[in-house]
Amino acid sequence: MTRVAATLLALGTLGATLGPAIAAAPVDEDTVQKIAAQLRCVVCQSLSVADSPSETAKQMRGVIRERLGTGETPEQVKAYFVDKYGLWILLEPPKRGFSLLVWVVPYAGLLGGLVLVGLVVWRWTRRPRVASVEARPVDEATRQRIRREMAEQDRD
């Protein structure tokens, strides 16, 4: 009887340790990398979790792998990180609400700049052309003075 109990205990322990590993769905590493590429590393901040060499990013990739293994969708995994860290964690903010300004303002600024440059060029080309020096007739006394000064220079 004790052998049967020991065998059942051993099988139960083996099933408890291998059960979650067997029951977990296989995780596609490409999916892990795609999700990690969309999340900001909390240590490096300028790198994605996929690109960061930090230990925290490695742990975050592990969490992604673990959650995908339990059957969560990529959107649910991202929602988990957004709930934990806020929208800041996403490298690409959502295109709705206040975050929509991040997507709209650069294009609006570019359009406004092009309109401004167009107006300046249009006004610049529409200006009447003014002669820089008006031609005035030279009186006889001025002509005599010019001739005298030119003659003096020829002598020197």
Side-chain angles (χ1 to χ4, degrees), residues 33-75:
Q33 288 300 316
K34 285 179 185 176
I35 295 171
Q38 296 172 7
L39 300 174
R40 184 185 317 272
C41 175
V42 294
V43 175
C44 304
Q45 296 185 7
S46 62
L47 293 175
S48 71
V49 171
D51 297 332
S52 176
S54 74
E55 186 62 33
T56 304
K58 184 178 178 182
Q59 292 171 357
M60 289 173 78
R61 287 190 297 269
V63 169
I64 294 168
R65 196 173 291 109
E66 178 183 314
R67 288 188 163 269
L68 287 173
T70 61
E72 289 187 18
T73 65
E75 286 74 28

Side-chain angles (χ1 to χ4, degrees), residues 70-131:
T70 61
E72 289 187 18
T73 65
E75 286 74 28
Q76 290 172 325
V77 174
K78 285 194 300 187
Y80 165 77
F81 283 101
V82 169
D83 288 341
K84 189 170 181 176
Y85 296 103
L87 285 176
W88 171 86
I89 198 74
L90 298 175
L91 282 175
E92 184 177 297
K95 297 175 183 170
R96 59 182 156 70
F98 186 72
S99 298
L100 186 62
L101 289 175
V102 173
W103 297 99
V104 172
V105 168
Y107 295 110
L110 180 65
L111 181 64
L114 289 173
V115 167
L116 182 66
V117 167
L119 284 172
V120 168
V121 168
W122 180 74
R123 289 186 68 187
W124 189 28
T125 57
R126 296 286 181 195
R127 280 189 181 162
R129 299 187 187 253
V130 178

Side-chain angles (χ1 to χ4, degrees), residues 7-24:
T7 306
L8 287 175
L9 181 63
L11 286 175
T13 306
L14 183 63
T17 42
L18 293 179
I22 294 169

Side-chain angles (χ1 to χ4, degrees), residues 1-9:
M1 189 76 143
T2 48
R3 285 186 181 194
V4 174
T7 306
L8 287 175
L9 181 63

